[in-house]
Amino acid sequence: MQRSLYNGSHLDRVLSVDEMRSAAKRRVPNFCFEFLDGGAEDEITLKRNRSVFSDIGFKPRSLVDISQRHIGTTILGQKSASPFLIGPTGFSGLLSHQGDLAIAKAASQAGIPFVLSNVSTVSIEDICANTDARVWMQVYLYRNREFVEALVERLLKTRVDTLVFTVDNPVHGKREWDVRCYREPMKLTLPNMLDAVLHPRWIKDVLWPNGVPRFANLGDLLPPGKDDVRGAAQALASQLDPTLSWHDVAWLRERWSHKLIIKGLMNKDDVLMAADHGVDGVILSNHGGRQLDGTLSPIEVLPDIVKALNGRIPLLVDGGFRRGSDIVKAIALGAHAVALGRATSYGVAAGGQAGVQRVIDILNDEIDRVLGLLGLNSLEELNSDCLEFFR
């Protein structure tokens, strides 16, 4: 019998993140899936983020009592049930009704942090009011600094305890397969329009009865009538600031009194500069292969940066994580935690909150199993001695 991934609708029969990806591809229209799944240009970085994990092998120990296993940890000073969090993923409202809220609820139930995207379709106030999740918020420093300052003041009135400052998109990456879905900016090609019509469950869930979802946290940044996910793209692109510099990190640090993380660094010197500027952590990231094509993966630069930083601030990492074994490898190489992106987005696209919860359950189960097979009882026992690079 030929092997094939499960293609039914029962989420409890989905056995892996890749299988959840297939379920997501079936449920949402092509243009949504291309936005979620694609990368920049030739997608070399996108592929490298995954292939690098195959270059790292485990060195397990045997005849060890592993009956006391647990995968809990501490992330930025607070307990977390797992060594991962859900990172910021934009346009989730196009994948499922109030997709950001569905992801936040799943994170709350799982006992892990959740980062609300700057381009979410659910307001930060609604997320805080309707979930018990530990909520972090992503921010970009747009040209309109008054808007950013007002957003920070708004966040200070909520229970958000961590700001995630994303810095790796002073200009947009060239995502060709995403662009090919449109005959002109934000106007779908005829084949993609017809494909959308062939997804009635998605239409009923996302578009009915209020039409295209609208951004809930961008306020005065967008022109009147341009706050939906279709009309805002060009307005947001015009707000990207190519003058972004370390002076802006200092500017934001002065205005935000809680934890501040910089997301999108890949260079050792930049991470050391971040520590010098008083940030509370860094997420090593190449934006999921969606910006500069041809970069190294975060996992490849992690060991050298861990060594250079010498524990000054926590290092988190994202990029290509699909298995619990991937997460274990990152922790063994010195990562404080892993930020998930596409993995949980596949879940929300395939089945809303239940899909996200299924992805979390799969990864937790895999992490626990890998620890046991390595002969370990906790994440604290992990170190680079457990691994060997094949190169």
Side-chain angles (χ1 to χ4, degrees):
M1 181 180 293
Q2 185 176 0
R3 286 182 170 185
S4 62
L5 296 176
Y6 173 68
N7 61 5
S9 58
H10 297 285
L11 294 177
D12 59 348
R13 294 186 62 184
V14 172
L15 299 180
S16 69
V17 173
D18 278 348
E19 213 159 55
M20 191 66 78
R21 176 184 179 274
S22 295
K25 188 174 184 179
R26 291 192 302 272
R27 185 182 175 278
V28 302
N30 177 70
F31 80 94
C32 290
F33 190 76
E34 282 293 357
F35 174 80
L36 162 60
D37 199 56
E41 298 181 2
D42 296 317
E43 299 187 333
I44 294 170
T45 300
L46 180 70
K47 296 167 186 172
R48 190 180 189 91
N49 281 355
R50 283 298 304 135
S51 64
V52 68
F53 290 107
S54 298
D55 294 333
I56 308 171
F58 288 118
K59 297 190 295 183
R61 298 291 304 272
S62 299
L63 299 174
V64 178
D65 180 355
I66 55 166
S67 62
Q68 304 301 312
R69 294 192 314 282
H70 67 90
I71 64 169
T73 188
T74 299
I75 299 179
L76 264 64
Q78 293 190 26
K79 289 183 178 180
S80 176
S82 308
F84 57 83
L85 55 106
I86 301 179
T89 50
F91 296 85
S92 295
L94 266 183
L95 303 177
S96 182
H97 177 63
Q98 291 194 310
D100 303 288
L101 185 59
I103 299 172
K105 286 182 175 180
S108 175
Q109 181 168 315
I112 61 175
F114 162 72
V115 187
L116 183 64
S117 168
N118 189 78
V119 288
S120 62
T121 57
V122 181
S123 73
I124 184 64
E125 290 83 3
D126 284 346
I127 294 290
C128 290
N130 291 289
T131 77
D132 294 324
R134 181 183 178 190
V135 183
W136 302 0
M137 181 74 189
Q138 180 194 39
V139 65
Y140 293 105
L141 254 62
Y142 296 112
R143 294 174 188 264
N144 185 341
R145 292 293 197 271
E146 290 78 14
F147 165 77
V148 179
E149 192 161 20
L151 177 61
V152 169
E153 291 175 358
R154 178 178 163 191
L155 292 172
L156 288 170
K157 298 175 183 177
T158 71
R159 58 181 178 81
V160 171
D161 66 4
T162 303
L163 206 59
V164 179
F165 175 24
T166 300
V167 300
D168 57 1
N169 66 334
V171 296
H172 271 315
K174 186 183 180 187
R175 303 165 198 167
E176 295 172 3
W177 288 106
D178 187 23
V179 172
R180 288 188 178 102
C181 294
Y182 303 88
R183 64 183 188 275
E184 56 184 276
M186 302 315 293
K187 292 187 178 180
L188 291 172
T189 62
L190 180 58
N192 276 282
M193 291 176 65
L194 294 174
D195 177 72
V197 172
L198 295 175
H199 289 79
R201 285 191 305 163
W202 172 83
I203 292 174
K204 183 178 180 181
D205 180 39
V206 173
L207 299 185
W208 183 266
N210 298 315
V212 178
R214 297 183 177 276
F215 291 120
N217 293 298
L218 294 179
D220 296 334
L221 184 67
L222 300 176
K226 296 291 185 179
D227 62 341
D228 64 30
V229 295
R230 178 176 53 198
Q234 289 178 301
L236 288 174
S238 70
Q239 281 290 331
L240 296 179
D241 190 353
T243 71
L244 200 63
S245 73
W246 289 105
H247 296 293
D248 298 299
V249 177
W251 180 88
L252 187 58
R253 177 74 282 181
E254 289 175 2
R255 286 157 178 78
W256 179 252
S257 55
H258 304 306
K259 292 184 175 66
L260 176 63
I261 293 178
I262 295 182
K263 177 180 180 291
L265 301 183
M266 288 284 290
N267 184 286
K268 175 175 62 178
D269 293 336
D270 286 344
V271 175
L272 294 174
M273 283 283 287
D276 291 341
H277 278 74
V279 306
D280 299 286
V282 163
I283 301 179
L284 300 180
S285 175
N286 57 30
H287 214 105
R290 296 165 68 82
Q291 287 293 97
L292 176 63
D293 200 23
T295 67
L296 295 170
S297 75
I299 282 291
E300 289 175 290
V301 301
L302 175 62
D304 284 344
I305 296 177
V306 167
K307 183 178 179 181
L309 196 59
N310 196 28
R312 291 177 62 190
I313 55 173
L315 279 176
L316 291 77
V317 63
D318 71 10
F321 289 88
R322 301 289 185 275
R323 287 286 187 185
S325 57
D326 303 336
I327 295 170
V328 170
K329 288 173 182 178
I331 302 300
L333 289 172
H336 182 67
V338 165
L340 301 178
R342 286 185 178 88
T344 43
S345 288
Y346 294 145
V348 78
Q353 180 181 343
V356 181
Q357 289 172 339
R358 180 59 182 156
V359 167
I360 293 171
D361 289 344
I362 289 170
L363 293 174
N364 280 339
D365 180 65
E366 290 178 349
I367 292 168
D368 175 73
R369 182 178 296 106
V370 170
L371 277 183
L373 293 174
L374 281 173
L376 304 175
N377 281 291
S378 69
L379 299 165
E380 288 76 17
E381 298 175 59
L382 282 168
N383 57 55
S384 59
D385 291 339
C386 301
L387 307 176
E388 182 90 25
F389 279 83
F390 289 141
R391 312 176 219 150

